[in-house]
Amino acid sequence: MILFKEAAALSGYLEKQQKKGVSIGFVPTMGALHQGHITLVTASTENTGLTVCSIFVNPTQFNDPADFKKYPITIEKDLKMLSDAGADVVFLPDVKEIYPDGLEKVRTYSLGHLETILEGKYRPGHFQGVCQVVHRLLEIVSPDILFMGQKDYQQCMVVQHLIDLYAIPTRLVKCSTIREESGLAMSSRNMRLSDTERQKAAEIYRTLQYVEQSILPGDLADIKGKAIDRLINAGFRVDYLEICDANNLNIIETWDGKSPLVTLTAAFLGDVRLIDNLVIIHS
Ligand code: AMP
């Protein structure tokens, strides 16, 4: 596994590989890796000739400075996990490599309604930050395939929008959410939960499953209310729980029984903010 810290050196190396006909897979992360990240790396090693993983805690996507400060860093363990998983290249840039013109001179993106709903509403500026870092990383790595997790459903949509907007010749592959045995979606932020909180946190997935199992065509206000109550009663502070069209994230108030749906939620347990979603499969 080769480690790069400089963008120019990495681009040069990957250009040579691409000229030789090697296809490049890319997995961007913020580190504190878990099995969810490793599944993306495995998907890349199985489908491309060379797998690049980046670890960069991107300051511009944190709307809450305290969240940025507390973001877990476990670099030695991460490198071991990546090497064991068969990653070929790790990119560990510092802020200057990603934002050479400084954090004040960053690009802005036209993201339409994706920026003002759900995560966009509760984390102002977050998706601008996601686009800034992903766009720059895609310029550096020029991957054939970009692997991202469905755990961050809205993020995948934003990144697909970015790819379309700039006609970037990269295919986005969305990988399923990896969960703990309890159903809790794996997340770097789970490290900040106590054992009791971790058990409680599994209620998020049970609530998403409850929506999937109980939903009927018609007005969705009642089921949505019941789902939010479940979370509140389990001790969460709920930012949102919405049932949306799975294709465009429009919030669905009245379901026709046909359009594909996804339930998405964000809720705090103590000061840890957790997000999850579940696509509703109905027969
Ligand atoms: P992060 O380090 O949290 O920015 O995540 C890096 C990538 O891993 C993103 O594409 C996430 O969607 C993905 N990811 C995070 N958690 C999971 C999970 N539990 N299952 C699958 N992918 C995940």
Side-chain angles (χ1 to χ4, degrees):
M1 194 169 78
I2 315 174
L3 209 148
F4 286 89
K5 292 194 167 181
E6 287 173 11
L10 174 61
S11 295
Y13 173 78
L14 293 175
E15 231 170 82
K16 275 191 212 139
Q17 298 297 318
Q18 261 168 334
K19 277 197 184 126
K20 283 194 236 164
V22 178
S23 64
I24 307 224
F26 179 42
V27 180
T29 79
M30 298 204 297
L33 301 184
H34 49 68
Q35 209 45 46
H37 298 110
I38 296 306
T39 314
L40 306 185
V41 172
T42 304
S44 177
T45 59
E46 285 174 358
N47 290 285
T48 65
L50 189 152
T51 293
V52 182
C53 179
S54 63
I55 299 178
F56 178 65
V57 185
N58 173 36
T60 72
Q61 74 186 69
F62 284 83
N63 53 313
D64 174 4
D67 189 28
F68 177 56
K69 250 183 152 177
K70 283 188 220 152
Y71 204 83
I73 292 174
T74 59
I75 196 72
E76 294 305 323
K77 181 170 162 249
D78 293 351
L79 292 177
K80 165 97 174 59
M81 285 171 80
L82 290 174
S83 161
D84 289 350
D88 300 290
V89 168
V90 182
F91 183 38
L92 282 177
D94 65 14
V95 172
K96 201 167 79 276
E97 291 295 315
I98 300 297
Y99 300 109
D101 300 326
L103 290 173
E104 269 66 52
K105 283 202 188 139
V106 286
R107 292 179 271 206
T108 54
Y109 298 85
S110 161
L111 302 176
H113 82 300
L114 285 176
E115 198 172 2
T116 54
I117 54 162
L118 308 168
E119 287 301 283
K121 180 168 166 193
Y122 287 88
R123 301 187 66 187
H126 169 65
F127 287 127
Q128 289 295 327
V130 167
C131 286
Q132 284 148 8
V133 71
V134 172
H135 197 179
R136 172 77 176 133
L137 287 168
L138 291 179
E139 283 172 352
I140 296 167
V141 178
S142 294
D144 296 280
I145 311 183
L146 170 65
F147 295 88
M148 299 189 90
Q150 192 188 306
K151 153 95 177 9
D152 297 279
Y153 196 97
Q154 190 173 4
Q155 173 169 277
C156 285
M157 283 214 161
V158 165
V159 169
Q160 186 59 60
H161 181 82
L162 170 75
I163 287 173
D164 296 343
L165 207 59
Y166 286 85
I168 298 170
T170 292
R171 182 158 67 89
L172 172 64
V173 168
K174 273 196 283 177
C175 301
S176 311
T177 303
I178 304 301
R179 301 179 178 282
E180 315 255 0
E181 243 175 72
S182 66
L184 172 64
M186 289 192 185
S187 163
S188 306
R189 288 184 176 85
N190 293 354
M191 284 181 196
R192 290 174 45 209
L193 298 172
S194 67
D195 286 347
T196 329
E197 283 173 329
R198 238 173 213 253
Q199 280 170 17
K200 260 195 201 173
E203 181 61 20
I204 294 184
Y205 185 53
R206 287 195 290 271
T207 300
L208 295 174
Q209 286 179 310
Y210 160 75
V211 174
E212 183 186 27
Q213 285 154 17
S214 323
I215 197 161
L216 290 171
D219 189 353
L220 300 182
D222 185 53
I223 188 167
K224 223 165 73 175
K226 283 186 176 139
I228 291 171
D229 285 347
R230 269 182 82 127
L231 291 175
I232 292 171
N233 292 336
F236 288 91
R237 182 157 61 79
V238 180
D239 264 357
Y240 64 82
L241 181 142
E242 294 288 357
I243 304 169
C244 295
D245 187 312
N247 291 329
N248 52 33
L249 286 189
N250 287 335
I251 291 168
I252 303 287
E253 312 281 354
T254 309
W255 185 40
D256 60 6
K258 292 187 206 106
S259 51
L261 298 178
V262 56
T263 311
L264 307 104
T265 189
F268 282 90
L269 208 45
D271 66 347
V272 183
R273 189 173 183 277
L274 301 168
I275 63 168
D276 200 353
N277 65 81
L278 188 66
V279 172
I280 295 179
I281 314 281
H282 47 94
S283 43

